[in-house]
């Protein structure tokens, strides 16, 4: 039953993050007991790619979703043993491997009552019967030949399913669509660029900052025709607030990376949208970066919480930004309440809370044909979409971070449908001080970390805070770690066969036993940002990761394996 | 000022043609070029006079003793007073040289100053040099009014134009002698050039820095238009490509977006969005194709598409195999892209 | 003695010509003939067209063609997936371990017709000559060619030793990424 | 060596014995290996001169090819690729293989004679220098014959010459050819400086040095200061191209303008490296034809030194259109104009010499007059291109082509041709034809001006340099045709010159020691000079020794006959200080040059050639310097 720590806290049904349904009945795993965790079972998926999908809990089943070509395993845990209940293997269009920018994995299904809603990399949204795994309907949501893929889980918002496309690297025109959950019938589609009508901007649109106003800004802030392939993917977290009737989503960076090919503000890329869940009409928009130079994409984690903020109870939206800032917004109005860096940042000097503008550093601007060195954070982003979680107990936000910087050299990019439209040479680098990764426990009110655990390698396996005061996270070198939620003290760790690039999951079996499960499997040497056959001697390999991860020994077996831990 | 006009009118006959489309430093059509032509004239006259004086003195020196009877061969016989007088004359000549050289330095310095001073809000045009063509982007405060064109710069008469020069590959140099001196386009550097066209007309320009095998065929034209015509033209350029008016042109559009053309060229309003070659959205409205190599006609378009390496060997446009019908259709379509 | 010197000279000239020759314009019939590859049924390996052999494999050792191939590699977005040979969403090329082998015909077919796991077909984007130029260049990324004719670095970000500086394929250990 | 008593001095025997013994000591062995091993500066200088003129001939043919292509619009004689190779070859050949080497060659031949010594300093280095120069020239021309000729312009601007835009080895060959010629030039420069400073005849104080020697001394210093810049540049370029360094890659911290700075820091002094020797030739020839010593000796020397110094302060005037800061540009305008002053001093001094002279209109003098006419004109256009704003119009156009041909042909080749007519009898022993000489001078002078003057107008009419063709609707056609036809006249002049030079070597009238009644020391010995130059070392008492001592030149004596001995004198006053023995013939310089060539050519293809190639070079050098117990080791 415990949906508690689902990777994105993409809370379905009623409720907010704090009072998610199915809270663990009693906190059996505490800093005191965690040392007793023992491996009870493992399950191999047979897929060699990077497994970024956390195991999901649907009723009494544990769902394991492999990277493309996908297999969805529904497992049952019976007395500590795993049994495959059913499997679902959608037909795949293998051409999608060529247009998947960042690995072949994506988060697994969303649970809507007795249904599972599944996005596949090659652009299908599929509804399954949760009990049998039988497909109910299957609609195409993304066009692979155009470079579109699906990289996030669908969002269930009432009787609607919201799906967003990915593919900034291929010059797509990002869009988000709503389907009828029962039939898969399309309800509305809104684009991230283009005319106000296409974007869903109408009379109800009231951004907090004036700079986000402007008639047809999705066209006029682009060079002629640029918006047609301007990126702005909806590949990050989708979030639904049933009280407000809003769906929140970020928009990806503008395409191409080379800024000189897209003069202007590049609306509505690199921003956050609040949309009416019923109609898709935009309520507010906040552009994280106008004319984005450094990949300040809005596809980082989105979370919501209701808190006292400076003495006033507010409905907050928290965005862990790829620009390296934790943004705290009022999710009713779109006002930015706070934006503080959680990783080393020098690409910008901060966020002007009066205008909402990201203050760029003059010496880190990028332009065609010129290399800008030591820009932090890297375009690959300091956090993955599932890399942050809130704990209602401690009130802290736990962020799995990659502390990468980069050298970036924009180059001319030419648009050819279905081929990359990037236009930049990238070379990731170590930050000026410290390690490549860290687990950050972030104090929202103070706008600074409560504590930080440095890791040698980027931390991609998102955190799992448990009510008992323990936070689990996986590391790139294959450790599952349990640390104290308040002090960051390492309590327990276990070495697994492969690096962990997905968040662990906690669940309670029908018999009351509590388990922590983690799906290990980093894929190739450079993890989810690349395919298997990558040669890190090339500094620009895997969007520049080759430069920092060169020499990191590849896992003996990068393929996926589910590990199940329990207290004895 | 009268001197200026006099000098210019003396030099003008040298500017053969002097007609529209000329490419001559002696046929100035803007204040920059005029000031440079004046400077050329001033230097030519001063230097010419100096040269003539030297030649006259040499001539006199040679001839003054010719008739003299050959005296005894006493080359070392020397008259100290005479030597001293000669020394004084040489010194005077050197001082005169110093004065002339200083004067020339000063006027050239002043000319430099007058060139950099421009009045009025300039039209900013980005010019990017490629092997072997020019990409021209008209900027605007509103990015959706950016217009990308190639191998032709249209400018409004009377308004200063500021070119922002950059190079995509090797060093090129922009030179439109009738309007301004040249300025290099250097990879990794930003250069600027400001000029004003005073009269409507067509001024040819050419790459002046050796840039590879087709350096000779890297020309462009500057078309100066009255401001209202320029504005109308710019509005026209903002529109998407013309829709085909007949079946042949429609077939041509299919060829252009289905064959290799689309990989390199942009035709706005069609799927073709490549940026490796010139933007073809309004290619037929330009004077020339292939960077000043051929006049824009349907025939020359067909010849160029059929065999680019025959017309301009070594350029980066490949010979795409097309059937005769496809070639006809695509050239008809291109010719319709006004 | 003299005859031997003449022979050496002649060989040097031939080698020089082959390496440095610049054929700026390929005759259309030759281009058409160069398209006539005979791949094996599984698309791995096969026979190059007769004209390719007759021309002496001009795309593998000719400096100009290799340079053009390198330009096309960047121009036609190969970099987007394969990086500078290190790979990303596409497999690495510089390790020399290729799914369809290092045979030029395999490479030609891969480029022209695409491959099922995401390699798009470039049939309608490149001409036959350009595909062959790319084939030649891609082979140098995999270090299969003589280093004397391999291209050197580009004027941009340094990502790895240039093709002409890379070790020969034979000297490589097993692919380091797997 | 048997039969010659040890330590035999020239004071002890009569003149015939002296000459016989000296000839035995200084002679070059017969046969192929003897010719290879020789270190006689006259033989090497002769080779140098002939080789350089062969390159002039080849370069001229290239020039004609270009004019053939450009004679009509849309010409089809050469394709763009070949044309680019041809113009690059023309420029590189003329600058690196003809103009600089020929001046140094003249110096190698003449300087030891003019300062009254028996051989140049470091004669083996001199032999090495020639072989290296020859190898560099062969490298370039063989490559061109193999369709591998460089096509990047003689200035080789990056990034066009860099690894990305110049595939293959064409650019490397060009860059390495520079290394060859610069090694050769540096070697000669060192030899000349030492020869002039330490081997002058007793009594030849600094103010008695012939002006050609002064010119070569200044030139040699310019060579030593300027050439390293281009060697750094060309080596950096090869490194960029071969091993992937980033000297000129802006993305990784290099700079494309760095190349231009390096190149022109050499490239501008290069002009004076060519021009100063020519002024020296003028100053040294003029007295013989106006029958007076040159006016203003001190002013001439000082102006040469001034030019030498100023020449390093002007390089940026080749870069006025690159968008450098205005203030810097103004400075370089001023300095470029300032060099007109010392150049003017020279002209005025020569005119002052003419003024009281009694001109003898022989062929060399005709060339001097042609020089006045042409060079002053080229100087005037030089003043024009020194002006920043003016240069933005004429830079990289045919105006500049015209300008530097006026300066280089008018300023250097005309004096050089005059010098050939003047010193030919000394070198060959026979006179060149005066009748043909007048034709040569006339054809070349008229042909040159007809061919190049219109280029000024073409440039102002907007014709850029280095274009392989131009369109018919441009107004350049008629003038280009005129230029091309005129170039045939110029070519005819040169052809006649070569015919005259070859023919006169066999059938010219014998010259005698001093056919022009010239005042300087080289005329004090026989024509051609014996291997030992002077049977007894002359002693100098004034700036015009042969005029001052019409009857008999005082001589120094006491040198040994059984070994190659020369007199070492002090730097300023040329007071005899020591007897020094000069090295004997050796094959090692040849082997060293051969192994160095292998190393340098190999390093175009692999950096490891530097490592492995240095082994044979080291062996050759060890062989070269190995003590053998020969007389020069004892000294």
């Amino acid at each position: 039953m415990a949906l508690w720590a689902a990777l994105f806290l993409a809370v379905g049904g009623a409720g907010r993050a704090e009072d998610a349904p199915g809270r663990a009945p009693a906190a059996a795993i505490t800093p005191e007991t965690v040392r007793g965790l023992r491996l009870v079972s493992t399950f191999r998926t047979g897929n060699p790619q990077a497994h970024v999908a956390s195991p999901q809990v649907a009723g009494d089943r544990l769902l394991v979703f492999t990277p493309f070509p996908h297999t969805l395993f529904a497992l049952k845990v019976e007395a500590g043993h795993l049994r495959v209940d059913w499997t679902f293997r959608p037909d795949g269009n293998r051409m999608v491997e060529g247009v998947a920018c960042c690995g072949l994995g994506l988060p697994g299904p969303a649970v809507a009552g007795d249904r599972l809603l599944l996005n596949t990399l090659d652009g299908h949204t599929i509804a399954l019967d949760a009990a049998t795994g039988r497909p109910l309907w299957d609609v195409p949501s993304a066009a692979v030949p155009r470079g579109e893929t699906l990289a996030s889980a669908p969002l269930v918002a009432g009787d609607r399913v919201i799906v967003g496309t990915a593919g900034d690297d291929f010059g797509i025109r990002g869009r988000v669509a709503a389907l009828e959950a029962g039939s898969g019938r399309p309800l509305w589609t809104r684009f991230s660029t283009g005319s106000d009508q296409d974007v869903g901007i109408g009379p109800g649109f009231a951004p907090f900052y004036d700079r986000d106003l402007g008639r047809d800004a999705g066209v006029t802030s682009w060079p002629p025709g640029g918006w047609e392939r301007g990126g702005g993917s909806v590949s990050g977290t989708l979030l639904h607030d049933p009280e407000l009737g809003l769906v929140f989503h970020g928009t990806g960076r503008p395409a191409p990376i080379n800024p000189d090919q897209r003069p202007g503000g590049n609306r509505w890329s690199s921003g956050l949208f609040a949309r009416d869940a019923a109609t898709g009409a935009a309520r507010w928009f906040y552009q994280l970066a106008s004319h984005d130079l450094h990949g300040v994409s809005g596809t980082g984690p989105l979370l919501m919480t209701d808190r006292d903020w400076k003495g006033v109870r507010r409905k907050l939206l928290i965005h862990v930004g790829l620009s390296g800032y934790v943004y705290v917004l009022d999710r009713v109005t779109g006002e930015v309440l706070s934006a503080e860096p959680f990783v080393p940042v020098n690409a910008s000097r901060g966020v002007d809370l009066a205008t909402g503008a990201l203050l760029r550093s003059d010496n880190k601007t990028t332009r065609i044909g010129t290399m800008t060195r030591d820009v932090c954070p890297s375009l690959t982003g300091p956090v993955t979409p599932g890399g942050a979680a809130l704990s209602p107990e401690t009130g802290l936000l736990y962020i799995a971070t990659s502390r990468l910087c980069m050298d970036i050299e924009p180059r001319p990019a030419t648009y050819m449908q279905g081929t990359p439209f990037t236009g930049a040479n990238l070379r990731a680098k170590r930050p000026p001080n410290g390690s490549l990764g860290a687990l950050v426990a972030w104090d929202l009110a103070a706008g600074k970390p409560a504590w930080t655990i440095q890791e040698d390698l980027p931390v991609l396996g998102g955190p799992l805070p448990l009510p008992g005061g323990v936070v689990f996270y996986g590391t790139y070198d294959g450790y599952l770690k349990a640390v104290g939620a308040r002090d960051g003290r390492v309590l327990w760790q276990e070495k697994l066969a492969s690096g962990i690039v997905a968040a662990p999951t906690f669940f309670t079996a029908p018999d009351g036993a509590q388990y922590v499960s983690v799906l290990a499997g980093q894929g190739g040497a450079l993890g989810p940002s690349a395919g298997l056959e990558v040669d890190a001697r090339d500094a620009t390999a895997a969007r520049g990761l080759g430069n920092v991860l060169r020499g990191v020994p590849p896992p003996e077996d990068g393929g996926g394996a589910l590990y199940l831990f329990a207290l004895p | 000022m009268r001197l200026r006009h006099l000098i210019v009118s003396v030099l003008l006959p040298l500017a053969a043609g002097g007609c529209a489309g000329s490419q001559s430093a002696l046929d100035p059509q803007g204040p920059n070029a005029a000031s440079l032509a004046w400077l050329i004239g001033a230097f030519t006259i001063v230097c010419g006079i100096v040269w003539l004086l030297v030649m006259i003195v040499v001539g006199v020196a040679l001839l003054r003793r010719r008739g003299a009877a050959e005296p005894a061969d006493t080359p070392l016989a020397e008259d100290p007073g005479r030597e001293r007088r000669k020394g004084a004359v040489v010194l005077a000549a050197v001082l005169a040289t110093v004065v002339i050289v200083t004067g020339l330095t000063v006027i050239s310095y002043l000319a430099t100053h007058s060139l950099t001073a421009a009045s009025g809000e300039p039209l900013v045009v980005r010019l990017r040099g490629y092997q072997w063509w020019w990409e021209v982007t008209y900027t605007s405060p509103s990015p959706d009014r950016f217009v990308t064109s190639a191998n032709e710069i249209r400018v409004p008469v009377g308004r200063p134009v500021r070119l922002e020069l950059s190079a995509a590959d090797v060093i090129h140099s922009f030179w439109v002698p009738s309007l301004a001196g040249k300025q290099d386009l250097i990879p990794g550097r930003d250069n600027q050039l400001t000029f004003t066209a005073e009269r409507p007309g067509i001024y040819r320009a050419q790459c002046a820095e050796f840039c590879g095998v087709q350096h000779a065929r890297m020309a462009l034209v500057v078309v100066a238009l009255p401001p209202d015509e320029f504005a109308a033209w710019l509005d026209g350029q903002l529109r998407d490509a013309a829709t085909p008016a007949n079946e042949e042109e429609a077939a041509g559009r299919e060829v252009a977006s289905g064959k290799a053309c689309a990989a390199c060229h942009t035709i706005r309003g069609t799927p073709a969005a490549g940026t490796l070659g010139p933007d073809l959205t309004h290619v037929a409205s330009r004077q020339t194709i292939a960077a000043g190599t051929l006049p824009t006609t349907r025939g020359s378009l067909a010849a160029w598409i059929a065999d680019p390496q025959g017309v301009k060997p070594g350029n980066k446009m490949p010979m795409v195999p097309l059937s005769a019908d496809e070639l006809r259709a695509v050239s008809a379509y291109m010719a319709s892209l006004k | 003695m003299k005859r031997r010197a003449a022979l050496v000279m002649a060989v040097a000239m031939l080698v020089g010509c082959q390496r440095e020759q610049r054929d700026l314009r390929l005759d259309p019939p030759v281009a058409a003939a160069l398209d006539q590859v005979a791949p094996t049924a599984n698309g791995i390996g096969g026979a190059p067209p007769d004209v390719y052999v007759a021309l002496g494999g001009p795309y593998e050792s000719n400096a100009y063609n290799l340079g053009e191939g390198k330009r096309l590699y960047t121009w036609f977005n190969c970099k987007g997936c394969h990086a500078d040979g290190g790979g990303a969403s596409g497999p690495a090329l510089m390790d020399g371990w290729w799914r369809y082998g290092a045979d030029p015909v395999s490479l030609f077919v891969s480029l022209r017709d695409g491959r099922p796991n995401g390699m798009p077909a470039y049939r309608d984007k490149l001409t036959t000559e350009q595909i062959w130029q790319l084939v030649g260049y891609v082979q140098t990324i995999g270090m299969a060619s003589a280093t004397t004719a391999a291209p050197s670095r580009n004027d941009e970000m340094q990502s790895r030793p240039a093709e002409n500086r890379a070790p020969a394929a034979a000297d490589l250990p097993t692919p380091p990424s797997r | 060596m048997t039969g010659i008593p040890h330590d035999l001095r020239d004071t002890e025997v009569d003149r015939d014995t002296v000459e016989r013994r000296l000839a035995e000591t200084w002679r070059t062995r017969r046969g192929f290996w003897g010719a290879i091993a020789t270190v006689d500066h006259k033989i090497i200088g002769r080779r140098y001169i002939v080789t350089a003129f062969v390159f002039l001939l080849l370069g001229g043919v290239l020039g004609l090819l270009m004019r053939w292509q450009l004679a009509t619009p849309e010409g089809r004689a050469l394709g763009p690729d070949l044309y680019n190779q041809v113009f690059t070859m023309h420029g590189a050949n003329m600058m690196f293989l003809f103009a600089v080497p020929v001046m140094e060659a003249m110096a190698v031949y003449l300087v030891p004679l003019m300062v009254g010594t028996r051989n140049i300093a470091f004669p083996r280095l001199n032999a090495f220098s020639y072989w290296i120069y020859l190898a560099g020239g062969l490298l370039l021309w063989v490559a061109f014959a193999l369709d591998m000729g460089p096509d990047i312009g003689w200035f080789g601007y990056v990034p066009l010459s860099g690894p990305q835009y110049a595939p293959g080895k064409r650019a490397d060959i060009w860059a390495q050819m520079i290394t060859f010629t610069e090694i050769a030039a540096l070697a000669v420069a060192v030899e000349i400086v030492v020869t002039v400073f330490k081997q002058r005849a007793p009594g030849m104080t600094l103010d008695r040095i012939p002006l050609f020697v002064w010119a070569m001394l200044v030139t040699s210093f310019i060579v030593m200061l300027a050439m390293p810049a281009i060697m750094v540049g060309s080596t950096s370029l090869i490194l960029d191209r071969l091993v992937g360094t980033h000297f000129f890659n802006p993305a990784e911290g290099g700079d494309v303008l760095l190349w231009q700075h390096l190149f022109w820091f050499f490239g501008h002094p290069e002009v004076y490296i060519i021009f100063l020797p020519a002024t020296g030739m003028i100053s040294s020839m003029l007295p013989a034809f106006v029958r007076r010593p040159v006016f203003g000796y001190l002013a001439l020397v000082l102006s040469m030194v001034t030019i030498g110094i100023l020449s390093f302060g002007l390089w940026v005037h080749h870069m006025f259109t690159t968008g450098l800061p205005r203030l810097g540009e103004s400075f370089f305008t001023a300095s470029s104009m300032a060099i007109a002053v010392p150049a003017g001093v020279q002209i005025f001094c020569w005119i002052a010499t003419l003024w009281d002279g009694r001109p003898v209109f022989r062929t060399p003098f005709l060339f001097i007059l042609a020089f006045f006419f042409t060079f002053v004109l080229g100087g005037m256009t030089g003043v024009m291109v020194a002006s920043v704003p003016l240069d933005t119009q004429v830079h990289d156009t045919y105006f500049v082509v015209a300008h530097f041909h006026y300066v280089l042909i008018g300023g250097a080749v005309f004096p050089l041709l005059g010098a050939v007519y003047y010193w030919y009898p000394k070198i060959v022993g026979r006179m060149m034809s005066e009748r043909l000489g007048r034709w040569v001078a006339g054809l070349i002078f008229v042909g040159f001006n007809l061919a190049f003057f219109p280029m000024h107008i073409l440039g102002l009419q907007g014709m850029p340099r280095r274009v392989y063709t131009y369109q018919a609707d441009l107004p350049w056609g008629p003038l280009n045709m005129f230029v091309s036809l005129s170039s045939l006249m110029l070519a005819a002049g040169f052809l006649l010159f070569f015919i005259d030079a070859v023919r006169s070597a066999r059938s010219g009238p014998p010259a005698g020691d001093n056919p022009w009644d010239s005042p300087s020391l080289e005329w004090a010995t026989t024509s051609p000079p014996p291997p030992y130059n002077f049977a007894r070392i002359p002693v100098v008492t004034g700036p015009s020794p042969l005029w001052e001592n019409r009857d008999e030149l005082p001589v120094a004596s006491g040198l040994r006959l059984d070994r190659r001995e020369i007199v070492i004198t002090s730097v300023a006053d040329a007071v005899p200080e020591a007897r020094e023995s000069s090295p004997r013939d050796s094959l090692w310089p040849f082997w060293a040059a051969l192994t160095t060539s292998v190393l340098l050519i190999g390093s175009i293809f692999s950096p490891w050639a530097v490592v492995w190639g240095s082994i044979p070079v080291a062996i050759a050098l060890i062989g070269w310097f190995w003590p053998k117990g020969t007389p020069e080791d004892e000294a």
Side-chain angles (χ1 to χ4, degrees), chain A residues 409 425 427 531 533-535 538-539, chain C residues 84 86 88 92 156-157 159 177:
Chain A
E409 183 192 22
N425 287 327
R427 194 163 59 186
E533 293 155 58
V534 170
D535 191 328
D538 175 3
Chain C
D84 276 343
E156 54 188 281
M157 180 185 282
S159 53
S177 65

Side-chain angles (χ1 to χ4, degrees), chain A residues 437-499:
Chain A
L439 181 72
V440 176
W442 185 261
D443 184 338
L444 288 171
K448 63 185 176 57
W451 48 261
T452 301
I453 301 174
Q454 305 266 340
E455 291 283 352
D456 289 343
L457 297 173
V459 184
L460 303 174
L464 168 70
L466 289 185
V470 179
V471 179
F472 285 87
Y473 70 100
T475 67
Y476 202 73
D477 46 3
Y479 283 93
L480 179 65
K481 294 189 178 181
V483 299
R486 291 180 197 285
D487 53 10
R489 197 158 45 85
V490 178
L491 305 168
W492 172 88
Q493 61 181 21
E494 186 79 22
K495 173 80 172 85
L496 310 183
S498 177

Side-chain angles (χ1 to χ4, degrees), chain A residues 197-541:
Chain A
Q197 194 185 345
D198 287 358
V199 179
I201 287 172
F205 180 63
F208 189 83
Y209 301 103
D210 288 347
R211 65 191 189 106
D212 290 321
L213 283 167
R215 204 176 134 65
D216 283 327
V219 172
T220 58
S221 62
W222 292 89
W227 54 273
E228 294 171 32
R229 45 193 169 272
S233 70
V234 186
S235 55
T237 322
L238 297 160
L239 196 59
H240 180 221
D241 184 342
E243 275 178 30
L244 297 172
L246 292 180
V247 170
F248 302 98
H249 70 84
T251 55
R253 63 165 175 80
I257 297 171
N258 176 7
D260 290 4
Q261 270 174 275
R262 44 173 175 83
N266 309 136
R267 299 278 185 284
W268 310 87
S269 66
S270 290
L272 302 175
F273 263 114
R275 291 183 183 279
D276 186 308
T279 63
R283 283 291 176 76
W284 56 257
F285 174 81
Y286 167 61
Q287 194 168 28
L288 297 158
S290 177
H291 189 58
D292 184 3
L293 298 179
H294 306 111
V296 183
S297 172
T299 54
L302 280 175
L303 307 103
M304 53 188 184
T305 180
D306 294 354
R307 293 262 177 106
D308 284 339
W309 186 268
K310 304 211 165 112
V312 184
R313 186 83 180 164
R314 298 190 87 150
K315 292 173 180 296
L316 301 181
L317 179 72
I318 294 158
H319 173 61
V320 185
L322 268 52
S323 54
Y325 296 88
V326 175
Y327 292 85
V328 180
L329 297 94
D330 183 319
R331 67 178 184 269
V332 181
T333 62
E335 179 186 5
V336 179
L337 303 173
S338 144
E340 295 296 331
F342 64 97
V343 286
V345 172
N346 64 15
S348 52
R349 293 174 283 122
V351 176
D352 182 348
L353 296 183
T355 62
L358 185 70
L359 304 170
R360 259 186 220 135
S361 310
D362 292 338
N363 59 345
K364 299 296 178 190
T365 55
T366 62
R367 40 186 304 268
I368 187 166
T370 305
M371 179 141 67
T372 309
R373 290 170 187 272
D374 299 308
V375 182
C376 308
S378 153
L379 199 87
T380 45
V383 63
T384 59
L390 269 171
S391 163
E393 271 69 30
T394 61
L396 296 174
L397 173 71
Y398 299 95
I399 314 169
T401 64
S402 310
R403 294 154 46 91
L404 297 174
C405 301
M406 65 173 169
D407 294 342
I408 178 169
E409 183 192 22
R411 306 288 304 181
T414 191
Y415 181 77
M416 266 176 266
Q417 197 180 67
T419 66
F421 185 49
T422 45
N425 287 327
L426 296 174
R427 194 163 59 186
K429 285 190 149 175
R430 291 192 160 265
N433 48 49
S435 57
L436 288 177
L439 181 72
V440 176
W442 185 261
D443 184 338
L444 288 171
K448 63 185 176 57
W451 48 261
T452 301
I453 301 174
Q454 305 266 340
E455 291 283 352
D456 289 343
L457 297 173
V459 184
L460 303 174
L464 168 70
L466 289 185
V470 179
V471 179
F472 285 87
Y473 70 100
T475 67
Y476 202 73
D477 46 3
Y479 283 93
L480 179 65
K481 294 189 178 181
V483 299
R486 291 180 197 285
D487 53 10
R489 197 158 45 85
V490 178
L491 305 168
W492 172 88
Q493 61 181 21
E494 186 79 22
K495 173 80 172 85
L496 310 183
S498 177
I500 301 165
V501 295
T505 305
F506 171 82
F507 75 102
T508 310
D511 59 2
Q514 295 186 343
Y515 296 97
V516 170
S517 69
V518 66
L519 188 53
Q522 75 171 63
L526 301 187
S529 57
L532 290 177
E533 293 155 58
V534 170
D535 191 328
R537 288 174 300 178
D538 175 3
T540 58

Side-chain angles (χ1 to χ4, degrees), chain B residues 14 16 23-25 36 39 43-44 50-51 55 57 64-65 71 73 75 82-83 86 97 101 108-109 112 116 169 171 175 177 181-184 186 189 191 204 208-210 213-217 292-293, chain D residues 74 84 151 158-159 165 255-257 260 291-293 295 321-323 326 330 337 348 351-352 355-358 372-373 376-377 380 384 387 389 392-393 395-397 460-462 465-466 468 471 547:
Chain B
L14 282 177
Q23 174 179 336
S24 173
L36 292 174
L39 198 66
F43 267 70
T44 310
V50 171
W51 180 79
M55 286 307 110
V57 176
R64 63 190 285 271
R65 293 270 185 141
D73 197 353
R82 197 176 166 79
E83 291 296 301
K86 276 203 295 189
T97 311
V101 158
S108 98
Y109 181 75
T112 312
T116 44
D169 33 49
I171 300 175
W175 183 39
K182 59 183 74 63
Q183 188 68 264
D184 291 355
I186 301 176
R189 282 179 182 257
N191 280 341
R204 195 172 184 277
E209 184 59 80
F210 181 62
V213 68
Q214 276 300 344
H215 166 58
R217 293 195 195 274
T293 305
Chain D
E74 306 284 3
N84 291 346
D151 58 350
V158 293
Y165 299 100
D255 192 338
V256 293
L257 281 192
Q260 297 189 19
R291 313 304 309 151
R292 293 192 52 78
F295 175 84
T321 64
T322 57
R326 293 248 175 265
S330 301
M337 297 250 185
F348 300 139
I351 292 175
W355 195 257
D356 281 339
R358 287 171 287 278
F372 278 125
F373 183 93
V376 176
L377 193 55
M380 292 302 147
M384 294 173 82
S387 155
T392 63
Q393 280 287 28
H395 179 70
D396 270 338
T397 68
L460 291 172
Q461 283 180 349
R465 289 170 77 176
R466 302 155 185 155
Y468 80 94
Q471 279 148 294
W547 284 353

